[in-house]
Amino acid sequence: MSANEHRQKATTQGSVPIAIVTVSDSRTPETDTSGQLIRSLAEAAGHQIVDYRIVKDEPDQVAKALADFAAGLARLIIFNGGTGISQRDRTYDVISKALEKPLPGFGEIFRMLSYEQVGAAAMLSRATAGVYQGRVVFSMPGSPNAVQLAMEKLILPEIQHLAWELIR
């Protein structure tokens, strides 16, 4: 089957259950604009948010959120924040070690598209994706512009196809 045939078959499965994890030392549910943006874009596309959490950029908290949500209803887990290179940016380190099947194309294409918006600073992003315990996991920067780019250009156009590939 071609990718288009896969996408077409995948649309029959309907809404994809999603969990959102915002990794931040300062955000609250009220100030989590990126988490809210992920929610609104996903729901507008017909998908359901089944879990949501804000965690500090601490490896144990990131790992616990990943494990908890992988054991839940979500078929897609989206992390935002903690993907840069500062000392506090640890999301990538935890997620990349846990992934059973990395999807390097996500980070590669994300950085390519980011380059069009922010120039050479795109290389500072450690956005990544892959499969963990039968779930598709995305980890992207926490800025609203980065979230919008990842959601609109990469995740939402392929969300049903990704979720379908895990169960076929």
Side-chain angles (χ1 to χ4, degrees):
M1 259 194 249
S2 71
N4 283 337
E5 290 170 323
H6 279 197
R7 278 187 211 98
Q8 188 173 30
K9 189 162 178 88
T11 60
T12 63
Q13 73 180 343
S15 176
V16 175
I18 300 169
I20 301 168
V21 182
T22 295
V23 181
S24 173
D25 292 335
S26 61
R27 296 282 183 251
T28 66
E30 297 76 33
T31 63
D32 182 15
T33 56
S34 292
Q36 294 166 10
L37 181 58
I38 294 168
R39 176 184 295 273
S40 67
L41 291 170
E43 289 177 344
H47 303 290
Q48 179 186 12
I49 306 305
V50 295
D51 279 305
Y52 167 75
R53 186 180 299 175
I54 298 174
V55 299
K56 300 282 186 209
D57 205 339
E58 294 293 340
D60 60 330
Q61 291 188 33
V62 173
K64 181 165 178 19
L66 177 62
D68 289 351
F69 289 168
L73 298 174
R75 292 183 49 211
L76 198 87
I77 305 169
I78 302 174
F79 284 79
N80 74 95
T83 62
I85 60 169
S86 78
Q87 286 186 333
R88 293 294 301 153
D89 291 328
R90 299 183 183 146
T91 306
Y92 172 84
D93 305 310
V94 174
I95 300 297
S96 66
K97 288 176 187 168
L99 294 176
E100 298 153 359
K101 292 183 179 183
L103 296 171
F106 172 74
E108 294 163 358
I109 296 170
F110 176 82
R111 282 181 287 280
M112 179 191 74
L113 295 170
S114 291
Y115 180 80
E116 295 170 2
Q117 293 182 351
V118 300
M123 76 171 115
L124 299 174
S125 170
R126 297 187 299 159
T128 193
V131 177
Y132 173 75
Q133 295 187 358
R135 307 301 193 264
V136 179
V137 178
F138 288 96
S139 178
M140 67 181 89
S143 77
N145 287 343
V147 164
Q148 186 165 5
L149 174 72
M151 291 296 291
E152 291 179 347
K153 298 287 186 179
L154 299 170
I155 297 171
L156 291 174
E158 288 295 319
I159 191 169
Q160 288 178 308
H161 186 198
L162 286 160
W164 177 74
E165 284 289 340
L166 292 176
I167 60 170
R168 72 177 188 104

